[in-house]
Amino acid sequence: MFFIDTVEVPGLGNRSYLAGGTRTAVVVDPPRDIDHVLEAAARRSVRITHVVETHVHNDYVTGGLELARVTGAAYLVPAGARVAYERTPVADGDRTDIDADLVLRAVATPGHTPHHTAYVLEEAGAPVAAFTGGSLLIGTVGRPDLVEPRLTEGLARAQHASAHRLADELPDETAVLPTHGFGSFCSSAQNGAVGGGSTIGAERTGNEALVKDVDTFVDELLAGLDDIPAYYTHMGPLNARGPLPVDLAPPAIADADEIAARLAEGEWVVDLRNRVAFAAGHVAGAVNFEADGQLATYLAWLVPWGKPITLLAESPEQLADAQRELVRVGIDRPAAGATGAVESWLRDGEQPRSFRRATFAELADSPKDGVVVVDVRRDSERAAQGWLTGSVHVPVHHLRSRLGEIPDGVVWVHCAGGMRAAIAASLLDAAGREVVAVDDGFPAARAAGLPFTDGASAGDGGTTADDATA
C-alpha cells in the first residue's frame, strides 16, 4: 500500500507532496520551511529517502536542498537544470525505488521551464499518481514566460506537447497532483481550483491544453498571460545557487523610537493587522499588508528587493506566521518587529493616523467634485470585468513608483474585493494623500449605479493617470 500526503502552501497557491509506503518516502517540491514536511513524515513513521524537484522554481524558495541535507536523502533535480550544488541529476525515463513495489519514474515535460520534469508514481508497475509540478495543472498549465522572453512561444508549444504526452501515456484513473495552480501566479490561468487533485481522465476532457489544437492553445495562452510578480526575478537564481537554511527566530523588538527612526530612514514598516483595524488607527508612514491575505506574494512584489522591513503584529503568533510566509519568498530576516496595540508603537504625544473605509454605494452618493477614483486591479481583471468610467488605472504593484501620477483630490481606491485596495490606500496615506479605501466587492459598483464601462466594449482599457477626470 502507498500513501500521498499534501503539504499546503496556501499563501503562495502551491502544494508539496509526501509519498511513500510503510517504511520510506519521497518529497516532491518542498517549501522553504521544511518543518511541516518533517512532521508529516513523523506522523507516517517513514524515513524520507528522496527529495525531488520538478524544476528550478521561479515563484518561491525551495526547501529541497536543506531537507535532503537534514534527512540524508538523495536530492533529485532535472539534469538540464543549471545549479551550483551537488545533486542527483534526473533524465527522462529514470526510475527510482521509493519503497517495496513503489517506483518513481521521471517524465520530461518541458514548457514551464526547458528542463521541467514530472514524476509518475508506480505501484507494482501500474501508474497511480503523476506529480506534474508546473506542467499539467488542474484545467490549465503552468505559464511559459518566466524564463526568457525569447523562449516563451517555444515553451508554450512544448507545454502543449508535454500535457499530451502525459495524457497519452497514463491511464484515466491516474491522479494529477500539480505543485502550482491553486492561486499561484505560476499558473497560466486562474481557474479557481482549491480542492483535491484531479485525474488524467478528468483533464483529458477539461484541460485547455488537451482540448485545443496547438496553434489555438498557444495563441490564447500567450494573449492571456498576466503580470509577473517582481520578486520572481530573484527566485530562480536563488534556487540555482542553493538556498541557505531558514532562521525563524523572533526578530529584535523595536520600540516606538526605533519604529520612528526606521521610517525616517526610508525603511518599510509593515502593519500586519487586518485592514479594518489599520484604517481605524496606525503609525503614520506604515503600510498595511494583512497577515491573513496573500502577504508573501504582495509584500515581496511591492517592496524594493533587499529593503529592511519591520513587522508590526497583534501578537507574537501573528508575527511568527508572517516570518514563515516571508522566508518562502526569500525575505529571510525582518530588521525588527513589534507586537501589541497601535498605541505602544507611537512616541509620546503622537496620535495614530487613520482613513475612511466605504462601499461603492457610498461612493455613488458622495460629492463628485475633487474626487479621484483609482482602480488598482490588474490589466486582465479590468479588461474582463469592466471599470468605473473615468477611473484612474494603476495596478497595485505599480502604485509605489507612480504615486506622483495620481491627480489632486480625495482618492477613492478600489480593487476587486478590498485587500489590494487596503494596500494601495496605505501607500497613498503614507505619501500624505487623503484617501478612502473602498472595501467592497466590485460587482457592487454596477449595482450602485456608478457610471460603468464594460470590458467587452473596452477600447484601450480606460483612463490613465494623465487624462483622468474626477
Side-chain angles (χ1 to χ4, degrees), residues 136 166-168 170-176 198-207 210-211:
L136 188 67
L166 291 171
D168 291 344
L170 298 174
D172 280 354
E173 62 272 18
T174 307
V176 174
S198 183
T199 64
I200 288 292
E203 296 307 307
R204 203 188 306 279
T205 60
N207 192 291
L210 299 177
V211 298

Side-chain angles (χ1 to χ4, degrees), residues 43 193 305 412:
R43 286 193 296 271
W305 192 253
W412 288 63

Side-chain angles (χ1 to χ4, degrees), residues 392-437:
V392 177
H393 182 218
V394 183
V396 67
H397 52 280
H398 292 160
L399 184 61
R400 179 179 58 82
S401 61
R402 295 174 58 186
L403 287 169
E405 299 179 27
I406 307 301
D408 293 338
V410 179
V411 182
W412 288 63
V413 59
H414 79 85
C415 61
M419 181 194 75
R420 288 171 294 171
I423 295 172
S426 73
L427 290 167
L428 289 158
D429 176 78
R433 296 298 301 268
E434 183 178 354
V435 64
V436 180

Side-chain angles (χ1 to χ4, degrees), residues 338-403:
T339 60
V342 65
E343 291 76 16
S344 66
W345 306 331
L346 298 169
R347 293 175 295 184
D348 290 344
E350 286 184 330
Q351 296 298 314
R353 189 172 170 90
S354 63
F355 54 77
R356 182 182 167 197
R357 295 169 49 253
T359 64
F360 282 110
E362 290 172 290
L363 173 59
D365 291 339
S366 69
K368 301 302 182 285
D369 290 342
V371 167
V372 179
V373 177
V374 176
D375 178 352
V376 296
R377 294 173 300 158
R378 297 188 301 276
D379 293 345
S380 58
E381 295 174 278
R382 189 169 164 99
Q385 301 166 4
W387 59 86
L388 299 184
T389 305
S391 60
V392 177
H393 182 218
V394 183
V396 67
H397 52 280
H398 292 160
L399 184 61
R400 179 179 58 82
S401 61
R402 295 174 58 186
L403 287 169

Side-chain angles (χ1 to χ4, degrees), residues 98-172:
I98 302 301
D99 203 292
D101 291 329
L102 206 59
V103 171
L104 201 65
R105 175 168 60 90
V107 181
T109 48
H112 187 49
T113 66
H115 60 265
H116 192 283
T117 301
Y119 298 90
V120 176
L121 187 67
E122 299 177 347
E123 184 183 40
V128 293
F131 300 105
T132 55
S135 54
L136 188 67
L137 310 186
I138 299 178
T140 185
V141 294
R143 59 194 299 171
D145 61 330
L146 302 180
V147 178
E148 157 61 51
R150 292 171 295 180
L151 300 179
T152 297
E153 182 174 350
L155 288 175
R157 293 183 178 276
Q159 191 74 296
H160 185 271
S162 292
H164 278 265
R165 180 184 180 187
L166 291 171
D168 291 344
E169 291 185 4
L170 298 174
D172 280 354

Side-chain angles (χ1 to χ4, degrees), residues 143 145 185 188 190 224-228 378-381:
R143 59 194 299 171
D145 61 330
F185 280 88
S188 65
Q190 298 303 315
L225 289 173
D226 215 331
D227 297 338
I228 300 173
R378 297 188 301 276
D379 293 345
S380 58
E381 295 174 278

Side-chain angles (χ1 to χ4, degrees), residues 21-210:
T22 57
R23 298 176 295 105
T24 52
V26 60
V27 178
V28 181
D29 289 345
R32 179 88 181 278
D33 48 325
I34 61 173
D35 52 341
H36 289 334
V37 178
L38 294 171
E39 290 164 5
R43 286 193 296 271
R44 288 284 186 177
S45 298
V46 293
R47 181 169 61 90
I48 296 171
T49 55
H50 296 82
V51 178
V52 304
E53 303 282 6
T54 56
H55 59 295
V56 175
H57 302 281
N58 289 290
D59 66 325
Y60 70 94
V61 183
T62 180
L65 185 63
E66 178 66 1
L67 182 60
R69 185 190 69 80
V70 167
T71 62
Y75 191 27
L76 279 58
V77 178
R82 298 172 63 88
V83 296
Y85 44 80
E86 292 295 323
R87 91 287 194 201
T88 301
V90 179
D92 184 50
D94 285 355
R95 300 173 66 84
T96 302
D97 291 332
I98 302 301
D99 203 292
D101 291 329
L102 206 59
V103 171
L104 201 65
R105 175 168 60 90
V107 181
T109 48
H112 187 49
T113 66
H115 60 265
H116 192 283
T117 301
Y119 298 90
V120 176
L121 187 67
E122 299 177 347
E123 184 183 40
V128 293
F131 300 105
T132 55
S135 54
L136 188 67
L137 310 186
I138 299 178
T140 185
V141 294
R143 59 194 299 171
D145 61 330
L146 302 180
V147 178
E148 157 61 51
R150 292 171 295 180
L151 300 179
T152 297
E153 182 174 350
L155 288 175
R157 293 183 178 276
Q159 191 74 296
H160 185 271
S162 292
H164 278 265
R165 180 184 180 187
L166 291 171
D168 291 344
E169 291 185 4
L170 298 174
D172 280 354
E173 62 272 18
T174 307
V176 174
L177 301 174
T179 299
H180 306 312
F182 310 96
S184 167
F185 280 88
C186 268
S187 175
S188 65
Q190 298 303 315
N191 59 12
V194 294
S198 183
T199 64
I200 288 292
E203 296 307 307
R204 203 188 306 279
T205 60
N207 192 291
E208 57 188 17
L210 299 177

